[in-house]
């Protein structure tokens, strides 16, 4: 791991902890408030449409940060922005508590993309200076809530690839210290598709 990546990881860890002091959410209240989320994310947070993320089992703190980013306009999406704009801090905490308590169902890795996807995820790409995904997201994709690294385990390949392309183009810029934008900028289209498929099959 390079000195630059270590410094970036340390910064994100500090940011993650500083944003973690939020009001506790209620799973029961969150389930009651999740009715409007069901159409896209499913009753238990496992979406049926691969273009929409599965949020079951996602870290509570990460869900909170993303909903706040949508609410404040720091992250843009034509579907999520209007959903988040009227959520109170307590609503967000409750929804995060509910969806984080659910179990992600996951999918499978396409056999033809396994070798490349596994290589990028576990080792990165030295030539293009791409860090291994596992360095932050862990060997099984569970991430690290304290350091603000999300769980990506079993996430739809279509959604993951779309987010990596958005980071690469700069269309998504909610990553502290531009960590994901810097990493995605070194990924080829083939590597993005492969690693996204690999992530989909992680357990």
């Amino acid at each position: 791991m390079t000195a630059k990546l270590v410094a970036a990881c340390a910064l994100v860890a500090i940011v993650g902890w500083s944003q973690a002091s939020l009001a506790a959410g209620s799973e029961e209240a969150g389930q009651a408030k999740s009715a409007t989320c069901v159409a896209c994310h499913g009753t238990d947070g496992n979406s049926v449409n691969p273009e929409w993320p599965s949020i079951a089992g996602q870290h509570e703190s990460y869900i909170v940060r993303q909903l706040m980013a949508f609410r404040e306009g720091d992250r843009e999406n034509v579907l999520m922005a209007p959903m988040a704009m009227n959520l109170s801090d307590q609503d967000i905490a409750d929804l995060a508590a509910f969806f984080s308590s659910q179990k992600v169902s996951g999918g499978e890795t396409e056999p033809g993309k396994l070798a490349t996807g596994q290589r990028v995820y576990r080792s990165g790409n030295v030539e293009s200076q791409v860090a291994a995904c596992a360095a932050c997201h862990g060997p099984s994709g569970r991430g690290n809530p304290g350091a603000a690294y999300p769980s990506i385990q079993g996430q739809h390949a279509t959604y993951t690839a779309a987010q990596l392309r958005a980071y690469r183009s700069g269309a998504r810029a909610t990553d502290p210290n531009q960590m994901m934008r810097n990493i995605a900028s070194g990924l080829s289209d083939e590597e993005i598709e492969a690693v996204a498929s690999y992530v989909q099959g992680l357990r």
Side-chain angles (χ1 to χ4, degrees), residues 9-27:
C9 289
L11 175 63
V12 174
I14 292 170
V15 172
W17 282 115
S18 67
Q19 293 181 349
S21 55
L22 300 166
S26 161
E27 290 181 29

Side-chain angles (χ1 to χ4, degrees), residues 44-128:
D44 62 352
N46 286 290
S47 66
V48 177
N49 188 328
E51 294 185 3
W52 299 327
S54 286
I55 54 177
Q58 183 57 265
H59 303 306
E60 198 167 342
S61 57
Y62 187 78
I63 295 175
V64 167
R65 277 191 293 276
Q66 297 312 303
L67 285 175
M68 286 185 169
F70 282 124
R71 186 181 67 182
E72 304 305 323
D74 296 324
R75 184 175 175 187
E76 297 180 2
N77 182 278
V78 293
L79 295 176
M80 280 302 303
M83 292 292 183
M85 67 170 50
N86 293 319
L87 293 176
S88 67
D89 288 352
Q90 189 61 58
D91 291 336
I92 288 175
D94 291 340
L95 288 169
F98 170 66
F99 284 115
S100 66
S101 70
Q102 304 304 298
K103 184 178 180 180
V104 64
S105 59
E108 301 296 331
T109 299
E110 289 184 44
K113 297 177 179 178
L114 175 60
T116 300
Q118 186 178 69
R119 173 180 55 79
V120 172
Y121 189 87
R122 293 184 177 180
S123 306
N125 187 327
V126 176
E127 291 183 3
S128 56

Side-chain angles (χ1 to χ4, degrees), residues 113-158:
K113 297 177 179 178
L114 175 60
T116 300
Q118 186 178 69
R119 173 180 55 79
V120 172
Y121 189 87
R122 293 184 177 180
S123 306
N125 187 327
V126 176
E127 291 183 3
S128 56
Q129 297 185 331
V130 171
C133 307
C136 293
H137 296 289
S140 65
R142 284 297 296 148
N144 183 331
Y149 304 141
S151 172
I152 56 175
Q153 182 183 72
Q155 187 59 264
H156 294 301
T158 299

Side-chain angles (χ1 to χ4, degrees), residues 174-189:
T174 53
D175 51 327
N177 206 36
Q178 299 189 18
M179 284 187 67
M180 282 305 304
R181 280 171 283 175
N182 292 339
I183 290 170
S185 67
L187 291 172
S188 67
D189 288 338

